[in-house]
Amino acid sequence: MKKYILFFLGMIAQLSYAATQDFLVVKTDSSAVRHQVLLQTTMGDITVELYNETPRHRDNFLKLVRQGYYDGNLWHRVISDFMIQTGDSTTRHSVAGSAVGEYDPGYRIPAEIHFPKYFHKRGALGAAREGDAENPKHESSASQFYIVWGFPYGPKSMAKFQSRLDSATHGTVKYPPEMCDYYWSHGGTPWLDGQYTVFGEVVKGLSVVGDIDAVATDDHARPLKDVRIIKAIVIK
């Protein structure tokens, strides 16, 4: 399915632990000030900070924000205890209940995956993409992005995720012990690591992400009651 990030629903159901509201921002070094973008939504404000180590994604995101591309967009794909996704500009005028989420501006961004420095912790900002068969280089959608919610995962779960990642990445993606501890304590979506570009993180309004993640949805994961980005603004 185009622009849909991959996930293993059956595995989640079997391995997931009770979700937690706790979140700890991992401090990382940066030689330059990071840009921040305010997402004003119908359920509250979310502020994301963009990583300088992913300049193509950062600059493309800032360009779209300044052009007003995200203004009025729906959070068109919401999966409870997993993530919230947006970036289809045609959703501004979509009819309630219609299938959405297939549109973006029509170009791809080369992958900028910096694992294990940046990983799919709760609050991570990631770029959606097409599946491996159509997109073996893991290039990102031009506009669609997601914010991680996820579950906490313990040692047994992480061991199973590691086995699956070994198969998917030919053994190139390994979870450091401290990262396993973080996922156990704070949650996230570790099975996406090393396969999708994480280009920022939520620095304010994580509770709003949790509120959106908890809304009722239809069979296509579209919220039954529309949740929108009213306006996206570069604030720093």
Side-chain angles (χ1 to χ4, degrees):
M1 298 172 66
K2 291 187 66 177
K3 313 301 186 300
Y4 281 7
I5 57 179
L6 305 178
F7 59 98
F8 308 107
L9 289 178
M11 180 174 62
I12 294 172
Q14 295 171 8
L15 301 180
S16 59
Y17 291 77
T20 176
Q21 298 292 320
D22 295 334
F23 178 77
L24 177 64
V25 174
V26 173
K27 298 299 182 180
T28 52
D29 294 331
S30 177
S31 58
V33 174
R34 290 176 174 170
H35 290 83
Q36 291 185 354
V37 172
L38 172 64
L39 303 175
Q40 297 176 330
T41 84
T42 52
M43 293 185 67
D45 292 349
I46 303 168
T47 301
V48 297
E49 188 169 81
L50 309 180
Y51 298 146
N52 294 319
E53 295 86 346
T54 54
R56 292 185 179 91
H57 286 74
R58 176 199 63 200
D59 293 349
N60 180 73
F61 189 68
L62 292 171
K63 178 191 73 173
L64 293 178
V65 169
R66 288 170 174 143
Q67 290 176 347
Y69 178 90
Y70 292 110
D71 298 352
N73 286 11
L74 292 180
W75 292 95
H76 67 262
R77 186 167 182 251
V78 172
I79 299 178
S80 178
D81 298 319
F82 177 32
M83 61 89 219
I84 63 175
Q85 184 172 335
T86 187
D88 177 346
S89 64
T90 67
T91 61
R92 293 190 188 99
H93 310 295
S94 64
V95 177
S98 62
V100 292
E102 292 296 310
Y103 178 78
D104 74 3
Y107 59 92
R108 292 176 175 175
I109 305 170
E112 296 178 300
I113 298 171
H114 293 282
F115 182 86
K117 184 174 185 179
Y118 298 127
F119 59 101
H120 283 82
K121 64 186 181 181
R122 179 167 290 181
L125 174 67
R129 65 172 177 84
E130 292 177 320
D132 291 357
E134 303 87 358
N135 181 26
K137 294 183 179 180
H138 296 175
E139 294 174 319
S140 300
S141 162
S143 63
Q144 294 211 24
F145 67 89
Y146 58 92
I147 300 177
V148 170
W149 188 248
F151 280 102
Y153 292 96
K156 291 183 178 180
S157 299
M158 293 301 297
K160 293 181 179 180
F161 287 138
Q162 184 65 72
S163 178
R164 288 177 179 266
L165 279 181
D166 285 343
S167 176
T169 66
H170 306 289
T172 60
V173 178
K174 299 293 183 181
Y175 296 113
E178 60 272 18
M179 187 181 296
C180 292
D181 292 341
Y182 186 92
Y183 275 129
W184 172 232
S185 300
H186 304 288
T189 56
W191 64 92
L192 299 179
D193 284 333
Q195 301 175 82
Y196 295 81
T197 296
V198 175
F199 65 100
E201 64 185 74
V202 173
V203 293
K204 188 175 181 180
L206 189 69
S207 62
V208 177
V209 177
D211 291 342
I212 297 173
D213 181 78
V215 301
T217 59
D218 63 18
D219 292 339
H220 300 287
R222 174 176 173 170
L224 296 177
K225 182 178 179 180
D226 287 346
V227 184
R228 295 186 182 275
I229 297 176
I230 301 168
K231 190 171 183 61
I233 306 166
V234 179
I235 58 175
K236 180 178 179 182

